[in-house]
């Protein structure tokens, strides 16, 4: 299917090369692919981060991500969409999230990727707990993530 | 019975991941929180935090939403994925 939505919530890491190939396989009509990968960073909200644990709400998570992908499809002419989000324990620089979008032209693919990440940050039930040099802490919601929705 | 699920920091604050409440009729989210506080007074300061988010049947709703007796309700802090 050239317009399919693929949503995965998993403990395992994912391979950028194979996800890229899946987005493009057997598709000659879409000439733009945009991918975004989010990684575990070593510094956040004033704390030195050693790693993190991601909790989620099984069932709702997948549903929320599918809803966001469907909304993106209504706003832009898109081909395939892949959203992968990991859960469980992750070390520094490990991949957390992947968003890949294909479209005929780059504008739609760039915008849809941003839209998906902005809504994922507000609506998908994931929570990060960081291990820091001062102990464990739950990451606080960043108001700029809410503000980002106003552009859509 | 209505299942109420708690996640993340709220789950740790309450020391509990799930309770069941018997609702006899449709009840607003805000009233359900009132029922929980009556049953578990020690939870008041956590459940009355106005940043808490609510999902009913795995869809985010606001606090005026009406809950039906067999719904699945979840309460959790603002999300921080991505």
């Amino acid at each position: 299917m050239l317009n399919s939505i693929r949503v995965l919530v998993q403990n395992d890491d994912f391979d950028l090369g194979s996800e890229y190939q899946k987005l493009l396989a057997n598709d000659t009509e879409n000439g733009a692919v945009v991918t975004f990968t989010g990684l575990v960073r070593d510094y956040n909200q004033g704390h030195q981060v050693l790693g993190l644990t991601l909790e989620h709400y099984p069932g709702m998570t997948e549903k929320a991500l599918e809803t966001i992908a469907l909304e993106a499809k209504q706003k832009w002419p898109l081909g395939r969409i892949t959203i992968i989000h990991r859960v469980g324990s992750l070390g520094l620089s490990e991949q957390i999230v992947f968003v890949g979008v294909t479209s005929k032209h780059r504008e739609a693919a760039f915008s849809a990727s941003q839209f998906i990440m902005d809504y994922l940050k507000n609506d998908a039930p994931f929570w990060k707990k960081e291990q820091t040099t001062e102990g464990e802490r739950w990451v606080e919601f960043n108001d700029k993530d809410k503000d980002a929705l106003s552009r859509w | 019975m209505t299942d109420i699920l708690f996640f993340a920091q709220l789950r740790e604050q309450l020391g509990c991941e799930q309770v069941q409440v018997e609702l006899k009729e449709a009840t607003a989210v805000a009233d359900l929180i009132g029922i929980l506080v009556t049953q578990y007074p020690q939870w008041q300061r956590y459940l009355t935090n106005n940043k808490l988010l609510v999902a009913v049947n795995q869809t985010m709703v606001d606090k005026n939403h009406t809950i039906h007796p067999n719904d699945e309700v979840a309460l959790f802090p603002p999300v921080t994925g991505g």
Side-chain angles (χ1 to χ4, degrees), chain A residues 55 57 63 126 128-129 138, chain B residues 8 11-12 57 72 80 82:
Chain A
E55 177 173 334
Y57 179 177
K63 200 166 149 179
F126 294 101
K128 285 184 188 134
K129 188 185 218 179
W138 288 98
Chain B
R11 172 176 49 75
E12 290 187 347
N57 299 330
E72 175 180 297
T80 55

Side-chain angles (χ1 to χ4, degrees), chain A residues 85-102:
Chain A
H85 204 297
R86 292 178 69 196
V87 292
S89 294
L90 299 178
L92 291 182
S93 301
E94 280 202 64
Q95 301 182 135
I96 305 173
V97 61
F98 174 85
V99 171
V101 175
T102 69

